[in-house]
């Protein structure tokens, strides 16, 4: 064969390979490797890591959102880094350090804007999701936290020092900011319900939480769950549970108690407490299996080698799993057939069948923390 | 430039094109072209059709499901055809005619099995989602309909002639079938709630519907909504509303009334009626915008040029749209920013901004009916 023919053959051979190399993105995901500033891109269906990608900076407290086509992950690092990762090429396509110290971000419902909440210098920065060019800055009189997106190209966040929540409407040419004053002392985290209706902020400076109903004719904050919070006991902020640990489970919401070994059951309509379940340790995340039939709970150090499964009908613990040392996070596949559990100090992610509760696979990972599947792109309140 | 060099250049040029040609699948969709047995593959973000694909047989009453990675659509045709379409190559990768007359299908929660309900010869057939090889046949004493998947690799369907519902558990090596006798006379359609908990069958032979709570220790059928149905009035089956027209909207379910120009509001907990809204015509589909803030309704002939938007808080009609002649179906983008509306007799799909309610794009299509976005792959009860 001549060189010419060989090249020609090479060209033709390359063409059919193309179709086989195509990859859908609906079953991909990202695992944060917190110690090394790297991530794994994983394929759920294959129970496998496709690639390790490095260069994300400080991922000791990282989170991410996905583009609406499920191709890109936007990763928010502790060091103010905002990094755009292409899941199809497994390469970083853009990275900026947009502030001194950031704690999380959100993507607008139309997928066109990325917002990042900052401690330093405070307030939020908003970027074009395509280019990461700056679009707007919304200053605040202190640390911005609890940043969430709401329907209608809106974002909400709260301010630690001033006890305010700010609603940022990006549907017009310039940001329109509404400030809710006095939501409570020292908001430290927040969530938005999965229907995009209610923004709930946790308070460090007082008991209870603050809820804003965005469907009301004139939204305004009201206090809920007055017994929920730090109470008389002094506690460092890092001991306060992440509100992302809340989970909707049918007609109920389940949430980790503050500094107690129990989860609380809340009526979804009234937002009043309806019961408690004693748990193995202090819960960190209480995550509902999609559909809400069971809730899986992991725990704070030193009881963090365990996961308990709680029946949402009876509120009873029905199973106890021992994935290994330092279980940091759990993520369910979109229709709830599997739960993926990161076990930091065993350097692995363990995959469970949610029906049999048996491990059915594992993936090696360096000090894994957060696990995020692309199905999040299609949901509100994440 | 020599031919050799040109070829070489061609090879190198082809390589970088590869990354650009990659396509994510989270924002793709399929539009059924009912008259021509063809479909459009569409890209939501681009507001564009990527390709027309032909050869699907009789699509006069078609539906489809997506693989869990959002790469493939499984299209169920009226003629018993089951066709597997690759959205990335826009080619049919497999097609079988599995029965004489089929009316819909479902995909197991783990994405591994496709089930199809058949009028001829009755019962359901179950296939391997990868190869379309037959896995199991579940016979029944009549026409199978209302086929839905439930968590735990299960399917449910009902039987017109015998008034039974069958629960097919495919979690073991062979199908395990549980039969619920006497659910009611002549079930004609069914749905499963989005949490995978409750299977509800509509009855043609009597008033009311039949509900089975799959979370109960011993699931059994019970009658609900006794006023809902054909009543004393003789009506052909095609006048009975599709139960897929039901929509969860926050704490409520909204559904088209039978043979009346109104929609009914049902309390999600009690499944009791709480109100009615008078509408422009006889509703066909009542679809909740994701999050449940509004419900969009289309209507039966001859009032089928109109869509009404109803506020779920006030139950009032807040807007009326005129997309064109013969509005057959509507589909929202995953986080509710857009509604896509098929207008059969204008040969187009019109795209609306759900905040402004203005048309923001359209796509030419031949007699379009059903519109399906890949985000369905990640949901239960669709």
């Amino acid at each position: 064969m001549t060189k010419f023919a060989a090249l020609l053959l090479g060209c033709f051979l390359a063409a059919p390979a193309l179709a086989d190399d195509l990859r859908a993105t609906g079953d991909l995901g990202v695992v944060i490797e917190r110690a090394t500033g790297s991530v794994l891109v994983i394929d759920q269906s294959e129970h496998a890591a496709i690639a390790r990608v490095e260069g994300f900076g400080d991922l000791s407290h990282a989170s991410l959102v996905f583009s609406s086509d499920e191709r890109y992950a936007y990763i928010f690092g502790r060091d103010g880094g905002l990094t755009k990762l292409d899941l199809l090429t497994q390469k970083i396509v853009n990275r900026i350090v947009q502030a001194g110290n950031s704690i999380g971000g959100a993507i607008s419902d139309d997928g066109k804007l990325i917002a990042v909440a900052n401690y330093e210098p405070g307030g939020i920065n908003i970027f074009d999701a395509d280019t990461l060019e700056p679009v707007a800055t919304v200053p605040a009189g202190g640390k911005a936290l609890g940043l969430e997106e709401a329907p209608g190209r809106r974002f909400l966040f709260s301010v630690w020092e001033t006890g305010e929540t700010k609603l940022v409407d990006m549907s017009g040419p310039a940001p329109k900011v509404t400030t809710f004053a006095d939501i409570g002392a020292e908001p430290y985290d927040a969530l938005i319900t999965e229907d995009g209706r209610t923004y709930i902020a946790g308070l460090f400076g007082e008991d209870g939480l603050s809820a804003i109903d965005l469907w009301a004719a004139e939204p305004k904050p009201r206090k809920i769950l007055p017994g929920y919070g730090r109470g008389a006991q002094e506690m460092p902020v890092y001991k306060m549970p992440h509100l992302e640990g809340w989970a909707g489970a049918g007609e109920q919401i389940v949430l980790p108690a503050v500094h107690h070994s129990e989860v609380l059951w809340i009526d979804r309509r009234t937002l009043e407490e309806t019961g408690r379940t004693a748990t193995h340790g202090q819960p960190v995340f209480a995550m509902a299996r999609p559909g809400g039939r069971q809730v899986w709970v992991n725990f704070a150090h030193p009881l963090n080698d365990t996961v308990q499964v709680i029946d949402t009908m009876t509120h009873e613990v029905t199973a106890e799993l021992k994935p290994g040392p330092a279980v940091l996070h759990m993520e369910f596949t979109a229709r709830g057939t599997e739960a993926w559990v990161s076990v930091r100090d065993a350097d692995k992610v363990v995959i469970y069948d949610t029906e049999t509760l048996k491990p059915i696979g594992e993936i090696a990972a360096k000090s894994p923390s957060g696990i995020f599947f692309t199905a999040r792109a299609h949901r509100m309140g994440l």
Side-chain angles (χ1 to χ4, degrees), chain A residues 59-380:
Chain A
L59 295 184
S60 64
H61 189 110
S63 66
L64 62 83
V65 296
F66 291 102
S67 63
S68 29
D69 64 357
E70 299 182 332
R71 175 163 182 173
Y72 301 101
Y74 299 90
I75 295 155
F76 310 104
R78 187 52 160 276
D79 54 3
L82 165 58
T83 312
K84 183 174 178 178
L85 168 67
D86 185 341
L87 301 179
L88 284 177
T89 61
Q90 298 102 43
K91 290 196 174 13
I92 290 174
V93 291
N94 206 342
R95 174 172 162 81
I96 58 175
V97 176
Q98 54 82 46
N101 186 322
S102 98
I103 60 143
I107 183 165
S108 59
D109 59 353
D110 65 356
K112 302 217 187 296
L113 299 172
I114 304 291
V116 194
N118 295 308
Y119 277 3
E120 288 292 333
I124 68 170
N125 291 330
I126 301 175
F127 300 92
D128 182 288
D130 194 23
T131 62
L132 300 193
E133 291 295 317
V135 170
T137 291
V138 181
K143 298 183 191 71
L145 34 73
L147 173 60
E148 303 286 342
E149 74 268 9
R153 211 172 150 113
R154 294 180 298 172
F155 297 102
L156 292 114
F157 68 99
S158 297
V159 188
W160 170 269
E161 288 86 349
T162 63
E164 295 168 333
T165 293
K166 286 177 185 286
L167 171 63
V168 182
D169 183 337
M170 295 294 296
S171 63
K176 217 169 64 186
V177 181
T178 306
T179 299
F180 301 98
D182 297 325
I183 66 152
E186 297 173 337
Y188 73 94
D189 195 11
L191 64 83
I192 195 159
T193 51
E194 63 210 10
D195 53 8
R197 175 172 181 173
T198 310
Y199 179 83
I200 300 177
L203 302 173
F204 181 72
E206 59 186 282
D207 269 351
L209 303 102
S210 172
I212 301 175
D213 179 356
L214 299 171
W215 290 10
E218 290 186 30
K220 52 176 183 288
R222 73 178 173 108
K223 289 283 167 59
I224 59 167
L225 295 178
Y228 184 79
R230 66 200 287 264
Q233 196 165 6
E234 281 296 326
M235 268 184 289
V237 177
Y238 67 81
K239 284 275 189 186
M240 299 291 280
H242 277 288
L243 293 194
E244 285 159 11
W246 286 40
E251 305 295 347
Q252 308 169 88
I253 293 171
V254 57
L255 66 160
V258 176
H259 216 227
H260 288 93
S261 293
E262 47 191 27
V263 296
L264 279 59
W265 301 88
I266 309 295
D267 183 283
R268 191 191 281 272
R269 284 188 202 191
T270 62
L271 296 179
E272 282 169 11
E273 187 183 326
T274 57
R276 296 188 175 216
T277 300
T279 53
H280 172 73
Q282 251 187 271
V284 175
F285 287 103
M287 317 266 293
R289 174 176 167 184
R293 186 70 185 87
Q294 291 94 19
V295 169
W296 290 44
V297 185
N298 71 333
F299 302 99
H301 181 81
L303 297 170
N304 57 357
D305 65 340
T306 298
V307 169
Q308 285 186 318
V309 180
I310 306 179
D311 183 299
T312 54
M313 304 264 287
T314 63
H315 293 185
E316 279 169 18
V317 174
T318 54
E320 191 169 290
L321 313 174
K322 298 282 182 188
V327 171
L328 292 197
H329 198 230
M330 303 167 287
E331 177 92 334
F332 291 93
T333 51
R335 296 207 290 171
T337 51
E338 296 174 358
W340 291 44
V341 177
S342 59
V343 191
R344 186 193 59 199
D345 295 349
D347 287 318
K348 66 183 179 183
V349 171
V350 182
I351 304 166
Y352 285 90
D353 180 315
T354 54
E355 291 287 329
T356 65
L357 301 180
K358 302 280 183 227
I360 52 173
E362 60 180 62
I363 292 174
K366 298 179 191 162
S367 296
S369 55
I371 306 173
F372 303 88
F373 291 157
T374 51
R376 288 172 173 251
H378 294 159
R379 300 227 171 106
M380 288 186 279

